[in-house]
């Protein structure tokens, strides 16, 4: 990998180049931050031969080419670039027309005459013609312009002119429109700048019968309704996937041949096939914490293995991989990438399968990369025969040094026959572990470090849990995953944007072997506010005991979210709601996930009652031995004739309310209980405070005395939740409540130097002695409830027969600002 200094030097050179072609400094710097656009724009500038500079107009058009040129017609890009440099195409309108032409044409040949006609090449619209057309448009719309004055939509006027003269210079059109507006309306007045007040909707007259409200929400776009529309159909997989730029100036345009695609479609029947490819890894065991599900990072085979559990990011990956297949009537493989024999453990495979099932997905097939070890070996031999791989004897340190210096290995050009023999010796176990690897012969001088002769095979004298002791050489991820994608006839190989630089290696290898190439598409990795998603940071939180294990309900791990009470339905709805995008810098506020959690639990969690901080209330006009069984609703819309929609709550002369629902001093905006004031106990009776028992400090309230209104004629504004003694002298059901909140105070703690100092000290608050209604006694782990006025809660696995433990999943309302806290 290039050193940091090399990377900084390349950025400075590219910035200088982009400024030379007329980009403003801000656009140039933003471009540098995007590796793909940087690579595209650099290639376009070289194709245009304007490395010494050009006009701002030409430079802006070239920038548009770099960002918008149709991917299926990249081989025609040099032609378009030459038309721009020669000023045959000189307006954005002409360029958009060119894009439309090439998007339709694809990689096929075309007639220049048809291209020029479609793009208005050679069509000159005189200043007089533009002026005359602007005058005609103003005359046709004069009445509306005079009425709206400077509030007139100039864009509409512009569109009228462009419809008649699509190739007119937009700057000249704008100039004449502005002049004509001033000529017709005169100077802008103060009234022209005033905002038009919105008309208030008139309230409909009250009628005796209640009208049924009919909401007509704005219709969402097709992409929102179906985020998978962005993906092409399998039969379209003949277009150019990507361009691989080599250091010698050559370019590889990767796409399937007609024969390869037809063979693929004959096998699949045109069905969409995707894959979810986790790598099970059992390296991490920390203290007594049970590691539920681990995944190995996709690092180079020489890198250190860094394990991490499945985070909500994998929920996103599952939704996209399984969701696309389901939406198109296809199938998604659950493929365990078990290329490291020391890593796989059955317990982790079982956990992954269980999580996939919990998330609501059913695999098309469950496979293992090891199922294809023989195919992978045979293709490696073929790769050597074709001159695209060699056996190397460099040590890991040597490889690292040579990559940094962009130098070829001393064994890179050894004879093919010699590499074939040595690779066979590797397979037979005749070469010591660490003494040889098989490397792909890619491009050590490339600007993409993922083309630095990646390792295809390494020696490991370790039996494989799935394949047995047949093999002592094992394929790397970089070699295996793309080939297995091809062997399984995967139509859409989907991954996060950090793998984008590996696309060149992916297609290079499939092209070198002459086998089918799936469609690769990268999406932005999910970033959620007030938490960290980095596997290393998560690892540190757990190992240093900042949290209570990998399934701590505060972590954005699927195990943690499930323990907190979040449903898979809510997670999938959240992922669907944010869409499938390539915007790599987006931060999704945690409140968006919480919204989907509330939406789901509001429909599925029955209502119940708990009191977190009990304050005793003795009802003096109710006999001590009296206990009434009252009915409480499990659902707000419960029908009175549906007995299952209600549960019993005991009401006695000793009840408990929230300590925060009582004040010694009343006020107009306070609806709780106060001396001499009445409130309604939910599902029960109004009560009025008649006396207060204070501690010796004359401030702490020990007990309240009250009277209840059995006739219910009193109509207080405040309604309180409560729990009563089920029988005289018997305490209500005692439970432990855990209140969880955002783990970090800042929206993006990962960008802080001392990110651990940003941990929220109130992210977990334990209330050991809360009270709950008796009906909760039979709740089991995973049951969810809405505790009225408090939030949604789930029974935790720490519960015992003696004492239930409830985790707060989410509050009833977002207590943070809309923009996050």
């Amino acid at each position: 990998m290039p050193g940091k200094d090399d990377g900084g030097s390349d950025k400075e050179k590219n910035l200088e180049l982009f400024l030379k072609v007329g980009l403003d400094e801000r656009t140039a710097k933003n471009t540098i931050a995007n590796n793909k656009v940087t690579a595209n724009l650099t290639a376009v500038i070289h194709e245009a031969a304007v490395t010494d500079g050009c006009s701002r107009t030409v430079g802006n058009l070239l920038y548009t080419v770099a960002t918008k040129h149709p991917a299926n017609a990249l081989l025609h890009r040099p032609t378009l670039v030459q038309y721009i440099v020669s000023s045959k195409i000189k307006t954005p309108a002409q360029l958009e027309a060119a894009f439309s032409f090439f998007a339709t044409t694809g990689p096929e040949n075309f007639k220049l005459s048809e291209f020029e006609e479609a793009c208005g090449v050679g069509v000159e619209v005189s200043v007089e013609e533009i002026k005359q057309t602007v005058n005609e448009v103003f005359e046709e719309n004069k009445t509306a312009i005079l009425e709206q004055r400077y509030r007139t939509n100039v864009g509409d006027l512009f569109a009228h002119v462009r419809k008649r003269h699509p190739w007119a210079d937009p700057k000249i059109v704008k100039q004449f429109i502005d002049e004509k507006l001033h000529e017709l309306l005169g100077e802008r007045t103060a009234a022209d700048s005033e905002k038009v007040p919105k008309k208030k909707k008139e309230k409909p007259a009250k009628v005796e019968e209640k009208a049924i409200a009919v909401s007509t929400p704005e219709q969402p776009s097709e992409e929102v309704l179906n985020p998978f529309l962005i993906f092409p159909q399998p039969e379209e997989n003949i277009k150019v996937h990507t361009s691989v730029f080599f250091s010698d100036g050559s370019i590889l345009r990767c796409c399937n041949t007609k024969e390869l695609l037809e063979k693929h479609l004959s096998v699949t029947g045109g069905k969409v096939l995707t894959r979810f490819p986790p790598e099970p890894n059992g390296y991490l065991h920390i203290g007594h914490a049970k590691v539920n599900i681990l995944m190995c990072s996709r690092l180079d085979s020489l890198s250190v293995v860094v394990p991490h559990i499945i985070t909500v990011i994998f929920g996103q990956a599952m939704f996209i991989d399984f969701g696309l297949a389901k939406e198109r009537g296809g199938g998604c493989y659950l493929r365990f990438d078990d290329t490291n024999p020391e890593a796989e453990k059955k317990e982790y495979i079982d956990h992954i399968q269980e999580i996939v099932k919990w998330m609501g997905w059913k695999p098309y097939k469950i496979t293992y990369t090891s199922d294809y070890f023989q195919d992978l070996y045979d293709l490696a031999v073929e790769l050597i025969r074709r001159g695209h791989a060699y056996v190397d004897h460099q040590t890991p340190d040597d490889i690292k040094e040579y990559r940094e210096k962009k130098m070829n290995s001393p064994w890179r050009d050894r004879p093919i026959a010699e590499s074939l023999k040595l690779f066979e010796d590797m397979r037979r176990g005749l070469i010591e572990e660490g003494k040889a690897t098989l490397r792909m012969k890619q491009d050590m001088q490339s600007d993409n470090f993922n083309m630095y002769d990646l390792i295809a095979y390494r020696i490991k004298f370790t039996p494989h849990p799935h394949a047995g002791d047949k093999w002592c050489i094992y394929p790397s991820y970089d070699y295996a995953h793309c080939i297995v994608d091809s062997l399984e006839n995967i139509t859409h190989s989907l991954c996060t944007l950090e793998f984008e630089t590996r696309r060149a290696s992916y297609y290079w290898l499939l092209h070198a072997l002459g086998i089918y190439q799936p469609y690769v598409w990268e999406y932005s990795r999910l970033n959620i506010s007030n938490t960290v998603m980095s596997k290393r940071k998560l690892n540190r939180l757990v190992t240093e005991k900042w949290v209570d294990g990998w399934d701590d309900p505060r972590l954005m791990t699927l195990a943690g979210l499930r323990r907190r009470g979040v449903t898979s339905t809510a997670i999938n709805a959240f992922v669907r709601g944010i869409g499938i995008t390539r915007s790599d810098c987006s931060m999704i506020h945690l409140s968006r996930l919480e919204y989907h959690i509330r939406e789901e639990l509001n429909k599925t969690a029955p209502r119940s009652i708990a009191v977190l901080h009990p304050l005793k209330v003795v009802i003096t006009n109710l006999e001590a031995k009296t206990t009434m069984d009252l009915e409480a609703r499990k659902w707000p819309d419960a029908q009175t004739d549906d007995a299952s929609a209600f549960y019993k709550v005991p009401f006695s002369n000793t009840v408990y309310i929230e300590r925060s629902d009582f004040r010694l001093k009343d006020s107009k905006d306070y609806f709780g209980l106060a001396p001499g004031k009445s409130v309604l106990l939910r599902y029960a009776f109004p009560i009025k405070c008649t006396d207060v028992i204070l501690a010796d400090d004359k401030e702490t309230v020990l007990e309240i005395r009250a009277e209840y209104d059995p006739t219910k004629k009193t109509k207080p504004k405040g309604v309180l939740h409560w729990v009563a003694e089920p029988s005289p002298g018997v305490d209500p059901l005692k439970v432990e409540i855990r209140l969880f909140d955002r783990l970090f105070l800042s929206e993006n703690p990962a960008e802080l130097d001392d990110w651990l100092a940003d941990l929220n000290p109130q992210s977990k608050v334990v209330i050991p002695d809360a009270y709950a209604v008796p009906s909760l006694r039979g709740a089991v782990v995973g049951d969810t409830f809405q505790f009225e006025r408090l939030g949604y809660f789930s029974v935790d696995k720490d519960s015992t027969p003696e004492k239930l433990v409830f985790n707060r999943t989410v509050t009833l309302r977002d207590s943070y600002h809309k923009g996050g806290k």
Side-chain angles (χ1 to χ4, degrees), residues 610-617 655-662 701 721 723 735 737 739 765-772 790 808:
V611 174
L612 304 188
H613 303 285
L615 176 59
K616 187 175 182 180
V617 179
V655 301
Y656 294 86
I657 64 171
E658 290 288 355
R659 188 165 289 274
S660 59
D661 281 336
F662 179 80
V701 179
H721 63 283
V723 173
V735 297
I737 303 283
L739 303 179
V765 176
V766 178
I767 302 169
D769 297 315
Y771 283 157
L790 298 178
R808 183 173 68 188

Side-chain angles (χ1 to χ4, degrees), residues 72 105 194 267 433 440 448 450 550 729 821:
N72 66 322
T105 304
E194 289 179 2
V267 173
E433 191 169 326
M440 295 178 268
N448 183 347
N450 282 306
W550 292 102
K821 188 176 181 180

Side-chain angles (χ1 to χ4, degrees), residues 139-154:
E139 192 61 35
E140 294 165 7
N141 296 275
K142 188 174 182 180
T143 303
I145 295 171
L146 288 171
E147 182 182 342
Q148 298 175 29
R149 290 186 57 77
Y150 282 100
R151 295 190 186 91
T152 300
N153 189 329
V154 176

Side-chain angles (χ1 to χ4, degrees), residues 79 154 203-204 233 298 325 367-368 415 458 488 492 528 538 726:
T79 301
V154 176
K203 292 184 178 179
Q233 296 293 341
R298 304 303 195 187
T367 60
Y368 298 79
R458 71 279 199 207
E488 291 185 338
H492 299 75
I528 300 178
L538 284 170

